[in-house]
């Protein structure tokens, strides 16, 4: 059965990397001693090695070893043999480019649909949706397609940000951008605020954390959903 | 000779649509009584007709008629016959998708390189660069390519926004995003603040408006450039 944690962010303000979600991760990866890390999104251009070292440091606190996929000669075998997978944040265009380039989009999709636990943050969560089309990132590279894993049957906008009512900047708000998406697409979009995550078990999806999430659907007013909302109706 | 005005935004805070730049437009389009408008970027999902009507209302004040490209049976002929072109803002992915879909990328490039005056705002300015890869927009549609007109030999980040030092949001700043771009690309990127524009005459490019612009180059510290800086060294 499919099992995922899809988090808006790796880091909440004032805490260390993954710190806020470590207790959850400890339960989520219970009984697993090593996970496979996908560093392809390279936040700030961080190297695969440095990014993996940072993730190792966080997971050591819950006694889980981390191996970066770039350390394997055959990344497809690495995915097929993994006991758990974590895809970190960074640039979604780069992540999706690399996933297609290494022919991993279908491989990861397959193992996760068959029960390998998957944890994602930010870009790694965005790709859990049907497409990457609600990313906030800059298109620094041209990926083969915008279609992503589709572990949930909607799209995810990580780091969801409410409009700043005092701003004099004329660029679009996050809500305006998502509404523009819905003028030509029908897929529902969930705006996940930093500190929120989705718990997925099979086709059951529940909103976790202390914050509300904002659900956008075409031709409907956006709605605020409280923590523990069952989102399975979107599956 | 190539002649362009490349503006960061259509609208500055507290003023009407195009109001701040109408005096410049009056000089730029001197002697031209009708221009062709490209409404493809559809800000907020605005229809081509409604967007064109909005532009007409602004240009009426300087006695210039506006016709939307969607009003022509043959858009390629419309471009070839245009006395001036204005590409408005909205979603850059949608704009670039439509430009390729209507086979207009090379047609517009050709007439502008041969002297048809081109005015762009926001998305319409971003596409004046070599690629659209420094847009701020959401990838609401998959364009055929990220390569754009290349009227200037660098990329443009419109609506450039300085980091908010008081923010507790963990999403990337604009500067971080552009630096991520430079970890895998070499094209210089000009961050144009709202109220700034570029005046292009042949291979001469000058920064106009009252604000500084921020120039990002790979492996260099970003620099602030004052108004009237000659940017021809980037061509």
């Amino acid at each position: 059965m499919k099992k995922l944690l899809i988090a808006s962010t790796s880091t909440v303000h004032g805490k260390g990397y993954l710190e806020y979600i470590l207790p959850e991760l400890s339960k989520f990866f219970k009984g697993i001693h090593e996970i496979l890390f996908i560093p392809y999104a390279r936040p700030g251009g961080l190297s695969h090695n440095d990014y993996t070292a940072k993730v190792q440091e966080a997971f050591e606190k819950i006694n889980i070893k981390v191996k970066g996929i770039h350390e394997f000669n055959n990344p497809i075998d690495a995915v097929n043999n993994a006991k758990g997978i974590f895809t970190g944040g960074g640039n979604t265009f780069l992540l999706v480019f690399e996933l297609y380039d290494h022919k991993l989009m279908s491989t990861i999709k397959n193992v996760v649909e068959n029960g390998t636990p998957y944890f994602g943050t930010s870009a790694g969560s965005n790709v859990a949706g049907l497409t990457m089309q609600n990313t906030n990132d800059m298109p620094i590279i041209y990926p083969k397609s915008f279609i992503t894993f589709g572990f949930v049957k909607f799209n995810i906008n990580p780091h969801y940000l409410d409009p700043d009512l005092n701003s004099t900047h004329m660029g679009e708000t996050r809500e305006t951008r998502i509404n523009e998406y819905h003028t030509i697409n029908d897929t529902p979009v969930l705006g996940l605020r930093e500190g929120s995550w989705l718990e997925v078990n099979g086709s059951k999806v529940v909103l976790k954390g202390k914050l509300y999430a904002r659900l956008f659907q075409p031709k409907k007013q956006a709605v605020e959903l409280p923590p523990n909302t069952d989102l399975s109706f979107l599956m």
Side-chain angles (χ1 to χ4, degrees), chain A:
Chain A
M1 193 178 71
K2 200 159 59 177
K3 199 178 159 217
L4 297 95
L5 278 191
I6 303 174
S8 173
T9 186
S10 60
T11 314
V12 295
H13 183 71
K15 293 211 172 181
Y17 183 70
L18 295 179
E19 190 181 339
Y20 81 100
I21 203 164
L22 275 183
E24 284 303 315
L25 291 175
S26 181
K27 286 185 272 173
F28 182 72
F29 287 124
K30 196 177 160 76
I32 295 174
H33 304 295
E34 184 177 301
I35 60 167
L36 179 69
F37 176 55
I38 316 286
Y40 293 148
R42 299 186 57 202
L46 203 62
S47 74
H48 294 156
N49 275 339
D50 288 351
Y51 197 7
T52 303
K54 180 178 174 172
V55 170
Q56 275 172 331
E57 200 185 317
F59 272 90
E60 258 171 25
K61 294 168 195 156
I62 55 171
N63 298 311
I64 293 175
K65 288 213 306 207
V66 174
K67 262 192 119 165
I69 194 161
H70 63 292
E71 301 171 43
F72 293 86
N73 288 326
N74 187 327
I76 292 178
D77 285 352
V79 168
N80 284 324
N81 295 328
K83 301 294 178 218
I85 295 173
F86 169 35
T87 304
N91 186 287
T92 312
F93 290 87
L94 184 55
L95 172 60
V96 171
F97 176 91
E98 297 278 6
L99 287 172
Y100 277 111
D101 199 48
H102 291 93
K103 309 209 182 325
L104 289 175
M105 197 60 93
S106 56
T107 311
I108 295 177
K109 185 177 166 78
N110 187 47
V111 299
V112 174
E113 293 288 358
N114 284 294
T116 305
Y118 178 100
F119 169 50
T121 57
S122 193
S125 290
N126 175 273
V127 296
L130 287 170
T131 77
M132 58 165 287
Q133 292 181 266
N134 301 98
T135 177
N136 310 306
D137 295 337
M138 215 170 239
I140 65 172
I141 195 165
Y142 186 73
K144 193 178 162 184
S145 165
F146 285 163
I147 297 170
T148 49
F149 296 131
F151 296 137
V152 292
K153 303 305 169 204
F154 49 94
N155 277 357
I156 291 165
N157 178 251
H159 301 281
Y160 182 76
L161 191 61
D162 293 292
D164 174 358
L165 300 176
N166 295 316
S167 174
T168 58
H169 187 72
M170 304 303 288
E172 295 87 349
T173 65
R174 190 68 58 82
E175 177 146 6
T176 303
R177 292 169 196 279
I178 297 172
N179 288 337
E180 280 183 356
Y181 171 78
H182 277 145
T183 64
I184 54 171
N185 298 277
D186 286 334
T187 303
V189 179
L190 188 68
L192 264 187
R193 294 184 175 90
E194 294 177 345
S196 293
W197 66 92
L198 300 178
E199 207 176 79
V200 181
N201 283 290
S203 59
K204 190 174 166 92
V205 184
V206 181
L207 174 65
K208 293 290 180 179
K210 291 178 187 152
L211 301 173
Y212 280 60
R214 192 164 178 86
L215 176 64
F216 299 86
Q217 290 178 284
K219 300 186 185 70
K220 286 187 186 176
Q221 188 72 31
V223 288
E224 289 287 326
L225 304 174
N228 298 312
T229 295
D230 187 331
L231 293 159
S232 312
F233 67 96
L234 293 171
M235 301 286 279

